[in-house]
Amino acid sequence: MHHTTDNRPALLLAMGPGIADRLLTERHRTRLAALARTDPYLVADDLAAPPAPVAAALAEARILLTCWGAPPLTADVLDAAPRLRAVVHAAGSVKHHITDACWERGIAVTSAAAANALPVAEYTLAAILFAGKEVLRSARRYAELRTAPEWLSETDRTGNYRRTVGLIGASRIGRRVIELLRPFDFEVLLYDPYVSGTEAASLGVEQVSLDALCSRSSVVSVHAPQLPETHRMLGARQLALMPTGATLVNTARGSLVDEPALLAELLSGRLHAVLDVTDPELPPSESPLYDLPNVLLTPHIAGSLGNELHRMADRALDEVERFAAGVPFADPVIPAALHHSA
């Protein structure tokens, strides 16, 4: 009688209801089953009081594959997962489910934050280019006139040639935006207290103070993490420094901007904004943001959506393959870095 040894690591999917069906195609599930011992259709959304099949899979799992809505990995959950060695997160931030207990037990963690950064940076690039071309104003003016405007007299300030763009935060997204801006004729300023002038120069940007960035930039784009020290970092004083007609782009978190101060600037018509995030996340139904002609408000769509989720799944399965092969993760989460990252 011949015995075969299955060396594939045991894996359990853990994420919010319905997420797995959007994240994983049949191609992903087939690849996952080849890489790990798993039921690619068994998904845990509760690990504190799991049903019997999930409890059994958790007890054997060496890897958890997580995504949005993953349940917190508390000490009690980890006690029920004695073989667990790694968490592969098929999304960005791990702060919602990775606890101190994970680090204390030496569990390796990786995330697909780099993959999720790409669509956010693409959205930002589009917002910057459209801001320079005054697309919102031009479209509204065209709809009002229903005939050709006096383009030469009405577009003196329009255009992207040698515009100054200010980026707040050299995060993964901020750095990708820098890359995407390189083919264009922009001067790019950067404010990030964790980046040296030498590193900024190597990125091809000018390191400046936050006040200088606001006062010099036609477009200010926010890419800093949500931390206690970044709460309302763009306040009334910084917004007042922005030139008349400048555009604020926020794809980070609404709490980084003093929204009442921003609203005052927007209601006056002095500034424009492209806001994918607000504070609160869902503006109240009476908020002027929905109707202001100088605001493009979108419902947190800059990050991975639709088929972009499959990019995150691909990155995550690449990391599962590395773990199965005994190779270090390509994109590990470093605990010490979490205090100044998303």
Side-chain angles (χ1 to χ4, degrees), residues 17-207:
I19 299 297
D21 289 336
R22 290 172 170 79
L23 177 73
L24 302 172
T25 64
E26 286 306 308
R27 170 178 65 84
H28 292 117
R29 287 191 162 103
T30 299
R31 184 184 176 197
L32 187 57
L35 292 173
R37 287 184 287 115
T38 187
D39 177 350
Y41 296 94
L42 178 66
V43 182
D45 57 30
D46 180 4
L47 294 176
V54 170
L58 181 64
E60 294 295 318
R62 291 185 65 210
I63 315 176
L64 289 181
L65 177 60
T66 63
C67 192
W68 297 313
L73 303 182
T74 63
D76 288 344
V77 169
L78 296 179
D79 286 343
R83 299 171 184 262
L84 188 66
R85 296 294 177 268
V87 177
V88 174
H89 189 52
S93 176
V94 301
K95 290 183 178 181
H96 304 291
H97 66 299
I98 298 298
T99 63
D100 289 343
C102 295
W103 305 121
E104 289 163 5
R105 299 188 190 204
I107 291 171
V109 179
T110 179
S111 91
N116 192 48
L118 300 181
V120 183
E122 292 164 359
Y123 176 109
T124 302
L125 173 64
I128 291 169
L129 293 175
F130 267 33
K133 291 293 283 186
E134 297 190 301
V135 165
L136 274 181
R137 185 187 69 80
S138 296
R140 188 176 68 254
R141 180 76 171 135
Y142 200 15
E144 289 170 356
L145 294 176
R146 308 292 170 105
T147 187
E150 294 292 330
W151 292 124
L152 289 179
S153 61
E154 294 189 14
T155 57
D156 290 346
R157 298 179 302 152
T158 301
N160 284 308
Y161 180 57
R162 304 188 76 173
R163 284 253 185 215
T164 299
V165 175
L167 305 180
I168 299 174
S171 59
R172 292 176 188 272
I173 297 165
R175 288 168 188 260
R176 180 58 178 162
V177 172
I178 290 170
E179 291 176 8
L180 293 178
L181 290 175
R182 284 197 183 115
F184 302 95
D185 292 305
F186 288 119
E187 178 186 6
V188 182
L189 309 180
L190 173 68
Y191 169 71
D192 189 320
Y194 295 97
V195 173
S196 68
T198 302
E199 186 181 3
S202 72
L203 292 170
V205 300
E206 181 184 348
Q207 172 76 299

